[in-house]
Amino acid sequence: MDIQFFKYQGAGNDFILIDHRVSPLQNISYERIEQLCDRRFGIGADGLMFLTTHDEYDFEMHYYNADGKPGSMCGNGGRCIVAFAKHLGIIDRDTNFLAVDGPHYAKISEDGNWVDLQMIDIDTINRDGDAFVLNTGSPHYVAQMENLEDYDVFHNGQAIRNNDTYKEKGINVNFVEDKGDYLFVRTFERGVEDETYACGTGVTAVALSMAQHKNLSGHIKTPVKVLGGDLSIEFDYNGKEFTHVFLCGPAEKVFEGQVSI
């Protein structure tokens, strides 16, 4: 069986997208999803998403990690599926859709290449030593670093993700260096089990953690640089709760094709 797929990327975080409203695909195995995401033996991606219909929302997002297993919320994936929905003609300039962590609002540029995605509100940030631990739709560990360009993110991130505290459920590990006018972030992602070029829920977690660390409040806009480009996080913080949290950045179609399932 041949099915149509689309490849999208958001700041280097890349995804396979399938319009499941028309696809005859049913009950695909986790092993097959893993193979499709493989960069040598498949299409290659950090994850795979199905777009399906929903009675109360414009569409529903179903996300799978590169290891083939169902994932928690993916921020850059959410931005890419919004761009995909615009490409399909489901939405125009804004949308309300459903993801694994609940409803999301998003707005998209007229040309369809820039998406501002509203994330969940956050009222709890925990500590693990000097690191921050919080859930922005996915669980994240945030550690401040110096000389992050030269840091061994893969081995150190892998060690934290698999330590006794986090091994069972896994955690995404973010390292951040404050560059003054922007934050530089590198992330080791669970499910991909490698460093990725960007992580949307990760940079969101970093921006919120650093705002708390710096005792900032009010409406805050935080520029972030990742290996795959530039993102921006905007939110309101009253010293206790983060609200109106938006992950903003590019979401672009790379190519489309057919694959045999």
Side-chain angles (χ1 to χ4, degrees), residues 16-166:
I16 300 164
L17 289 111
I18 296 172
D19 181 2
H20 211 274
R21 302 172 308 154
V22 298
S23 170
L25 185 63
Q26 298 290 336
N27 300 321
I28 186 171
S29 70
Y30 295 164
E31 291 78 14
R32 185 59 172 139
I33 293 175
E34 182 179 20
Q35 190 274 326
L36 290 172
C37 291
D38 190 282
R39 299 190 182 278
R40 298 184 186 276
F41 299 102
I43 299 166
D46 291 329
L48 180 147
M49 286 178 281
F50 293 109
L51 183 151
T52 65
T53 57
H54 194 282
D55 291 340
E56 299 177 7
Y57 297 93
D58 292 328
F59 61 89
E60 186 170 359
M61 167 185 171
H62 301 268
Y63 180 75
Y64 293 82
N65 285 316
D67 63 4
K69 298 175 183 177
S72 48
M73 180 56 185
C74 176
N76 286 326
R79 293 191 309 97
C80 284
I81 205 169
V82 169
F84 183 46
K86 181 175 175 64
H87 171 77
L88 295 175
I90 298 171
I91 66 169
D92 184 19
R93 296 297 301 276
D94 62 356
T95 181
N96 288 281
F97 70 95
L98 188 65
V100 66
D101 63 339
H104 286 266
Y105 168 77
K107 51 188 177 182
I108 184 168
S109 62
E110 186 174 356
D111 62 9
N113 291 330
W114 186 274
V115 177
D116 296 348
L117 172 66
Q118 187 167 13
M119 309 296 282
I120 61 174
D121 293 344
I122 302 294
D123 60 9
T124 302
I125 299 180
N126 297 312
R127 300 300 294 264
D128 183 350
D130 292 333
F132 301 88
V133 178
L134 65 160
N135 193 309
T136 53
S138 290
H140 284 278
Y141 178 104
V142 177
Q144 297 183 69
M145 303 295 302
E146 295 181 355
N147 302 314
L148 182 53
E149 290 90 345
D150 301 322
Y151 192 66
D152 188 346
V153 168
F154 176 78
H155 288 101
N156 290 295
Q158 184 183 56
I160 294 168
R161 180 257 185 270
N162 289 295
N163 69 20
D164 291 342
T165 302
Y166 304 113

Side-chain angles (χ1 to χ4, degrees), residues 122 208 211-212 215-220 235-243:
I122 302 294
L208 305 188
Q212 186 186 82
N215 295 314
L216 303 179
S217 62
H219 182 75
I220 300 166
F235 53 90
D236 295 325
Y237 183 46
N238 61 9
K240 295 182 179 179
E241 185 178 19
F242 298 91
T243 58

